[in-house]
């Protein structure tokens, strides 16, 4: 789908459908909606009067124009209450409206820029949100299905704005939104992919391809190198699988004057059967998505490479399967992690924290700071907050606030959990330095985070547990059923914000006259 920006009167646009909008309770539409209403001889005002159009959030009313306009259809999209209107609504309304029009077989759509008029939001951000809503809302994962005749695609979306002076900002917004949404969809593609099509080796190949496209460096550590580095925790998880593990490292250098490099770590378990502590078979197929954290990190790096902020970022994704076999790690086994710590594996299904322990040690050896890790780490996180927000835990409050703010801009929610000392008791082992499970039914997401904290030491760090938010149960606004691509856009926003706040290392040289 192509996304364009055009300066003109939307009621004169020849697209097969025109999308206008209305806030709840408005009786006489103004702005672009008012102009279209006028061209339609007051049809929209009439429907408002009759109570058919109320302007409720995501309410859609289709009007056939029967030759009164150059476009055959007008779709009036409700924006809800004006005082509650935010960018996430722009994304969701766009996605809902476009999915509806796609179902009708409409190929070309012109839309007003929701929020930029009476809504009073920043036009560039609105254009970005429209591009994100369109690209993410129309996403489908159809690779393994026979081509369906009814599955139509939308070819072209045009943002139409009457005020010429706004056009450059709108174009910038569309360009950024496109990259962010494409990144989220790349993460979705990886997470939706069945595990037989996305092994650790294939995940590494995809990371290499992304690096090539976005001008990043890519290094893939093989089993021998992991052995040399002493990554006994990652190797312990991988040893039950016929698929060799891969440690994927992507490097972006946007600030050559500095050494400081942010570390983005992502859990890359391409299939989590639970290992010898095997999971129940009902629902086990969803564990193909246990690499969503890694996918988000790789996709965010792709977007960062394309947006080129002035900052250094390195991504580390330990990729492996977690399988039961004669060679698999057994409950009670003790592993030696790269940091030198020994871990008693009480439950082989708590594998994410094991592979991340070695990823964290590697990140610290590389000098990465701060460290941010993303993982579908615990079912306990779903029990705690369900699927509405990603849990975050940190040893650095300032960093946490920045992640929450970056999430807000992306329409991705984060909720902080505490790392109180009381829970540390739960992961003490009788035979090793630490054990990989806490107390049943007592803050499992927190003991998992405290396990990671033990390897992080004093490096500023934040952990995002996305076990609930990695997938959606149904289409809703910009989210479609299946992998969500969360928190790809939050990671990119965070990196852009960190780059912006960094002052130049040396004072800028004065230009000679
Ligand atoms: N990948 C799972 C966590 C998960 C569960 C993600 C459901 C998404 C949906 C993780 O590896 C796991 O199995 N964790 C165990 C830990 C337990 C054994 C301490 C869990 O949460 O049950
Ligand atoms: Zn597991
Ligand atoms: Zn897992």
């Amino acid at each position: 789908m192509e996304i364009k920006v055009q300066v003109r009167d939307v009621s004169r646009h020849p697209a097969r459908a025109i999308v206008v909008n209305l806030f709840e309770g408005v009786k006489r539409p103004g702005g672009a909606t008012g102009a279209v209403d006028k061209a339609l001889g007051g049809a929209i005002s009439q429907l408002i009067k009759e109570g058919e159009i109320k302007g409720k959030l995501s309410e859609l009313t289709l009007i056939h124009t029967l030759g009164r306009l150059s476009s055959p259809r007008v779709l009036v999209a409700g924006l809800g209450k004006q005082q509650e209107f935010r960018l996430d609504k722009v994304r969701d309304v766009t996605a809902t409206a476009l999915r509806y029009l796609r179902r009708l077989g409409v190929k070309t759509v012109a839309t007003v820029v929701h929020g930029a008029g009476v809504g009073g939001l920043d036009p560039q951000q609105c254009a970005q949100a429209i591009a994100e809503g369109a690209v993410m809302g129309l996403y489908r994962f159809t690779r393994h299905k026979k081509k369906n005749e009814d599955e139509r695609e939308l070819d072209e979306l045009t943002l139409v704005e009457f005020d010429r002076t706004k056009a450059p900002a709108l174009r910038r917004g569309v360009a950024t939104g496109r990259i962010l949404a494409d990144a989220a969809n790349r993460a979705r593609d990886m997470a939706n992919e069945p595990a037989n099509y996305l092994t650790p080796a294939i995940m590494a190949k995809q990371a290499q391809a992304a690096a090539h496209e976005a001008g990043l460096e890519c290094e893939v550590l093989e089993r021998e190198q992991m052995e040399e580095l002493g990554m006994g925790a990652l190797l312990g998880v991988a040893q039950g699988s016929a698929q060799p593990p891969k440690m994927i490292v992507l490097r972006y250098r946007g600030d050559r004057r500095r050494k400081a490099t942010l570390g983005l770590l992502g859990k890359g378990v391409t299939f989590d059967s639970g290992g010898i502590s095997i999971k129940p078979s009902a629902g086990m197929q969803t564990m193909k998505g246990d690499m969503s954290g890694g996918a988000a990190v790789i996709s965010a790096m792709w977007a960062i490479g394309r947006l080129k902020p002035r900052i250094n970022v390195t991504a580390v994704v330990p990729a492996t399967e977690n399988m039961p076999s004669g060679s698999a790690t057994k409950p009670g086994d003790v592993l030696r992690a790269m940091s030198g710590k020994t871990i008693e594996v009480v439950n082989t299904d708590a594998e994410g924290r094991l592979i991340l322990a070695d990823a964290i040690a590697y990140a610290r050896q590389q000098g990465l700071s701060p460290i941010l890790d993303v993982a579908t780490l615990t079912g306990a996180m779903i029990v705690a907050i369900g699927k509405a927000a990603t849990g975050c835990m940190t040893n650095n409050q300032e960093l946490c606030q920045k992640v929450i703010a970056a999430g807000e801009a992306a329409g991705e929610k984060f909720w902080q959990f505490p790392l109180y000392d009381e829970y540390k008791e739960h992961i003490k082992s009788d035979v090793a330095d630490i054990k990989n499970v806490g107390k049943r039914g007592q803050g499992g997401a927190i003991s998992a985070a405290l396990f990671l904290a033990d390897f992080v030491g004093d490096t500023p760090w934040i952990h995002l547990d996305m076990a609930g938010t990695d997938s959606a149960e149904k289409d809703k606004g910009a989210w479609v059923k299946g992998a969500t691509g969360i928190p790809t856009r939050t990671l990119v926003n965070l990196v852009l914000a960190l780059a912006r706040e960094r002052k130049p290392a040396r004072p800028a040289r004065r230009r000679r006259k």
Side-chain angles (χ1 to χ4, degrees):
M1 177 186 45
E2 201 187 339
I3 308 181
K4 301 196 286 195
V5 172
Q6 245 180 50
V7 178
R8 77 187 304 174
D9 173 355
V10 71
S11 64
R12 293 175 188 277
H13 202 285
R16 300 304 292 167
I18 291 175
V19 183
V20 294
N21 60 42
L22 195 78
F23 280 112
E24 196 173 327
V26 172
K27 296 279 175 269
R28 290 216 130 267
T33 308
V36 170
D37 184 37
K38 207 162 161 202
L40 286 172
I44 298 176
S45 318
Q46 184 61 33
L47 290 170
I48 295 173
K49 209 192 265 166
E50 291 175 17
E52 180 172 335
I53 300 183
K54 297 189 181 72
K56 287 208 180 295
L57 186 62
S58 290
E59 164 197 273
L60 299 176
T61 311
L62 186 70
I63 300 172
H64 289 108
T65 63
L66 308 174
R68 286 186 194 243
L69 254 64
S70 36
S71 172
R73 296 172 195 84
V74 166
L75 184 67
V76 186
L79 299 184
K81 298 199 171 69
Q82 190 171 341
Q83 62 273 25
E84 288 169 14
F85 196 66
R86 307 275 182 283
L87 284 173
D88 52 336
K89 309 263 166 63
V90 178
R91 254 178 235 114
D92 287 349
V93 163
T94 303
T96 308
L98 294 185
R99 267 201 302 273
Y100 173 77
L101 291 171
R102 178 176 67 182
R103 229 178 296 134
L104 299 184
V106 171
K107 297 273 179 205
T108 58
V109 176
T111 181
V112 298
V113 184
H114 309 300
V118 199
L121 302 179
D122 174 64
Q124 181 171 333
Q125 289 186 349
C126 290
Q128 180 177 333
I130 288 177
E132 289 178 7
V135 174
M136 290 173 67
L138 293 173
Y139 171 86
R140 275 193 290 223
F141 184 72
T142 53
R143 277 199 60 182
H144 303 285
K145 288 180 104 169
K146 187 157 81 236
K147 188 123 186 74
N148 186 343
E149 290 297 299
D150 300 336
E151 256 176 31
R152 316 183 236 207
E153 296 295 338
L154 210 140
D155 295 333
E156 192 183 288
L157 173 67
T158 310
L159 281 66
V160 185
E161 171 56 53
F162 196 66
D163 181 354
R164 181 169 298 279
T165 63
K166 285 187 186 165
L170 297 181
R171 293 206 168 91
R172 281 196 299 274
V174 166
T176 311
R178 172 109 231 178
I179 292 176
L180 283 165
D182 280 343
N185 285 354
R186 289 177 83 103
R188 289 169 167 186
D189 271 341
M190 289 174 111
N192 284 328
E193 195 67 271
N196 59 329
Y197 284 90
L198 195 95
T199 59
I202 298 172
M203 195 171 180
K205 278 250 151 52
Q206 294 202 2
Q208 261 155 351
H212 187 74
E213 265 182 53
L216 313 167
E217 250 176 62
C218 181
E219 188 187 353
V220 178
L221 307 187
E222 304 292 338
R223 200 195 293 269
E224 299 68 46
Q225 288 157 289
M226 295 172 198
E227 280 163 3
E228 276 162 31
L229 288 163
M231 295 180 169
L234 170 57
L235 289 166
V237 174
Q239 75 189 37
S241 168
Q243 297 292 336
K246 307 279 169 180
M247 180 73 106
I248 304 163
V249 184
L250 294 172
R251 295 187 175 88
Y252 168 74
R253 290 188 63 82
D255 187 356
R256 300 212 166 255
R257 301 162 314 163
R258 275 201 185 81
K259 266 210 158 127
T261 306
L262 167 71
L264 296 181
L265 279 47
K267 173 177 174 182
V269 174
T270 59
F271 189 73
D272 182 9
S273 70
I276 296 294
S277 315
I278 199 161
K279 288 180 181 294
S281 46
M284 201 201 270
Q285 74 282 358
T286 63
M287 283 299 124
K288 68 176 183 177
D290 208 22
M291 31 51 70
S292 301
V297 162
I298 292 168
S299 308
M301 288 300 281
W302 174 85
I304 292 162
R306 302 208 40 201
L307 293 167
K308 300 192 174 32
R310 192 197 281 183
I311 184 171
N312 303 321
V313 190
T314 294
V316 182
V317 177
T320 179
E321 285 185 341
N322 184 25
M323 296 291 279
S325 77
S327 60
T329 291
K330 304 165 290 299
D333 284 1
V334 170
L335 304 174
R336 178 179 289 273
M338 181 179 170
S339 72
K341 280 202 176 160
T342 56
I343 307 167
E344 182 191 2
V345 180
V346 171
N347 189 317
T348 63
D349 197 9
E351 84 297 343
R353 63 199 79 181
L354 298 175
I355 67 170
L356 284 171
D358 280 342
I360 289 167
Y362 179 77
R364 293 187 77 199
Q365 189 210 56
Q366 297 274 306
L368 307 183
S369 176
I371 291 175
L372 183 154
D373 80 78
V374 205
T376 45
L377 206 63
T378 64
M381 184 49 81
I382 311 178
V383 176
I385 43 167
K387 293 176 79 71
T390 300
C392 53
M393 285 150 273
T394 187
N395 61 10
N396 187 299
Q397 206 51 37
E398 203 186 321
L399 180 61
C400 187
Q401 287 323 120
K402 286 176 188 165
V403 169
I404 292 171
E408 255 164 40
E412 298 177 343
K413 297 188 199 79
F414 293 86
W415 190 260
Q416 191 181 0
F417 287 79
L419 291 180
Y420 296 138
D421 280 346
E422 282 87 334
Y423 303 91
K424 275 194 200 158
E425 297 296 315
H426 302 177
I427 48 174
K428 281 194 176 149
S429 165
D430 294 335
V431 297
D433 298 331
I434 195 166
K435 65 177 180 182
N436 78 331
V437 294
K439 251 196 188 140
R440 219 186 139 75
Q442 294 196 25
I446 297 176
S447 43
L450 279 168
F451 179 93
L452 300 179
D454 208 64
F455 292 85
V456 159
D458 53 10
T459 305
W461 156 81
I462 182 161
H463 159 62
L464 308 180
D465 190 337
M466 52 175 299
T469 50
D470 71 326
S471 62
E473 286 163 343
K474 56 176 198 287
D475 293 359
K476 189 167 189 288
W479 312 116
V480 294
K481 188 176 176 182
T484 56
I486 287 173
T488 308
R489 287 174 306 118
T490 296
L491 297 181
V492 182
N493 281 344
L494 175 75
V495 167
L496 296 179
L498 291 175
R500 256 183 265 123
E501 81 184 19
R502 293 198 178 176
K503 295 190 201 86
R506 272 179 264 127
R509 253 195 279 153
R510 258 198 267 149
R511 268 204 227 144
R512 275 204 238 138
K513 290 209 179 130

